[in-house]
Amino acid sequence: CVSLYLLLGWLPVSLVQADITDGNAEHLKREHSLIKPYQGVGTSSTPLWDFGGSTLLTSQYVRLTPDERSKQGSIWNRVPCFLKDWELHVQFKIHGSGRKNLHGDGIGIWYTKEKLQPGSVFGSQDHFVGLGIFVDTFRNDLQGMDRSFPYISAMVNNGSLVYDHGKDGRPTELGGCSAEVRNQDHDTYLAVRYSKGRLTVMIDVEDRNEWKECFDVAGVRLPTGYLFGASAATGDLADNHDILSMKVYQLMVDHTPEEDSMDWTKIEPSVSLLKSPKDNIDDPTGNFRSTPLTGWKVFLLLLCALLGIIVCAVVGAVVFQKRQERNKRFY
């Protein structure tokens, strides 16, 4: 009965989904946004974006890597973001000549302390400080067949964690979902929302102009003053990794006086309620306890609740019958 009470008290909170902005131009922060015709990129008079590696700038897209082996490229905003609550919309395209399972490696979307640091994590450095969202197109862990690729996941790092390519980032994963983003005839979209300690990632990969939740986690702490960026890498296998736009929106959110008085630039990137890496090996999703319940989880919890009610009813009936028999004997 107690379990049923806790379950019913928990469900309404866990099923709430964050509302993604409709991209209101009024709240668009142009100094953090990459929009055609890509003014302010590279060597312009007022550079807002830097790029490096194999990145190629055209009038229609920013190609981080061509469909060639062993390439790395990135593009980074030069202006630190001091928004406490923000939302990033990324329009991208991953395509190439490789057949099924013969392509790689993917794109990293970043909100980090450092920029233009090439490395092993989708073209950017490991041991990064901040947030990384990974669109991984190649399966490395052949034992992890419980998920399909391409796969989108997230990781928060204070510089002490390593991204484990051999396990496709499972030990440090906050949450994730599979998404058919490769070789689509249309562009694909990803939205990253950070507000009041909650990180929500949404996708639109079917060109329906509708956001679908990938994952939603609470307990995330990110500072202000970090930089947005994107990177990509190829290895023995390759793909074209294109960024068409990156748009940052300010979210109008009220904070408490205590929150407003904090120095948000001093916050260390961290996550509460995150399971340990050892636990994530046993639980491949690596999810938070505060994430929304999926359909099968809700079904199992409701089934457990129903069984609990039946057990309570049976126990109550047995106790009532024994009391009746005792009263009859006494009489």
Side-chain angles (χ1 to χ4, degrees):
C1 294
V2 173
S3 299
L4 175 62
Y5 172 80
L6 292 175
L7 171 66
L8 295 178
W10 182 28
L11 279 176
V13 176
S14 301
L15 293 175
V16 172
Q17 295 184 357
D19 183 25
I20 296 294
T21 181
D22 58 359
N24 191 336
E26 179 183 355
H27 299 136
L28 176 67
K29 309 305 289 184
R30 294 190 177 276
E31 66 271 27
H32 303 305
S33 298
L34 181 68
I35 307 172
K36 296 176 187 179
Y38 308 127
Q39 296 177 351
V41 179
T43 59
S44 66
S45 58
T46 56
L48 297 176
W49 294 81
D50 290 327
F51 62 91
S54 62
T55 301
L56 173 66
L57 182 67
T58 75
S59 61
Q60 298 300 315
Y61 54 79
V62 177
R63 177 154 293 170
L64 301 175
T65 72
D67 189 2
E68 300 175 8
R69 298 167 65 179
S70 303
K71 298 292 185 180
Q72 290 187 356
S74 65
I75 186 164
W76 290 87
N77 190 208
R78 296 181 55 149
V79 184
C81 178
F82 290 98
L83 300 176
K84 297 175 183 177
D85 305 88
W86 48 264
E87 188 166 295
L88 169 66
H89 291 189
V90 182
Q91 181 182 5
F92 67 100
K93 196 172 184 66
I94 300 176
H95 56 104
S97 58
R99 298 179 181 179
K100 185 177 181 180
N101 300 326
L102 294 176
H103 50 264
D105 287 324
I107 292 177
I109 306 298
W110 305 95
Y111 177 69
T112 58
K113 186 176 183 180
E114 304 291 339
K115 66 183 178 73
L116 283 174
Q117 299 292 327
S120 61
V121 185
F122 301 97
S124 193
Q125 68 175 353
D126 208 344
H127 295 280
F128 62 91
V129 179
L131 168 69
I133 307 292
F134 310 124
V135 184
D136 190 352
T137 59
F138 181 75
R139 181 194 303 275
N140 291 288
D141 186 5
L142 297 180
Q143 296 181 347
M145 303 300 290
D146 58 320
R147 61 178 62 172
S148 61
F149 280 69
Y151 190 82
I152 299 174
S153 64
M155 173 182 175
V156 170
N157 199 349
N158 62 2
S160 65
L161 301 178
V162 176
Y163 181 83
D164 190 340
H165 278 283
K167 292 184 172 61
D168 296 317
R170 286 174 184 262
T172 51
E173 178 187 313
L174 307 187
C177 67
S178 299
E180 292 295 334
V181 298
R182 186 178 179 273
N183 274 354
Q184 295 284 7
D185 294 331
H186 50 267
D187 299 334
T188 47
Y189 300 83
L190 181 146
V192 183
R193 180 186 229 247
Y194 178 70
S195 181
K196 295 186 75 69
R198 196 168 197 95
L199 179 69
T200 307
V201 172
M202 307 285 284
I203 55 175
D204 177 9
V205 300
E206 299 175 350
D207 200 24
R208 295 182 177 180
N209 199 28
E210 296 178 355
W211 291 116
K212 177 182 177 182
E213 183 176 291
C214 179
F215 60 87
D216 178 29
V217 296
V220 179
R221 288 173 56 83
L222 295 174
T224 59
Y226 280 16
L227 300 158
F228 290 106
S231 67
T234 63
D236 291 334
L237 303 173
D239 258 336
N240 296 303
H241 297 97
D242 298 341
I243 299 292
L244 285 81
S245 69
M246 297 177 67
K247 300 178 181 179
V248 175
Y249 298 90
Q250 180 178 9
L251 300 177
M252 309 309 292
V253 178
D254 292 329
H255 288 271
T256 65
E258 291 78 10
E259 290 173 334
D260 285 331
S261 63
M262 290 172 49
D263 185 353
W264 286 60
T265 63
K266 303 298 184 184
I267 294 175
E268 180 178 344
S270 62
V271 183
S272 61
L273 301 180
L274 181 63
K275 298 177 182 180
S276 69
K278 179 178 181 297
D279 292 334
N280 283 345
I281 295 174
D282 299 326
D283 177 11
T285 62
N287 287 332
F288 288 81
R289 284 171 281 177
S290 57
T291 52
L293 298 176
T294 57
W296 69 269
K297 289 182 181 179
V298 173
F299 172 77
L300 289 178
L301 287 171
L302 291 176
L303 180 61
C304 291
L306 179 61
L307 292 175
I309 293 174
I310 294 174
V311 170
C312 289
V314 171
V315 172
V318 171
V319 172
F320 178 79
Q321 184 177 3
K322 288 187 175 296
R323 286 184 177 177
Q324 290 293 98
E325 292 175 355
R326 187 183 305 153
N327 289 339
K328 289 180 179 179
R329 289 196 298 271
F330 178 78
Y331 179 77

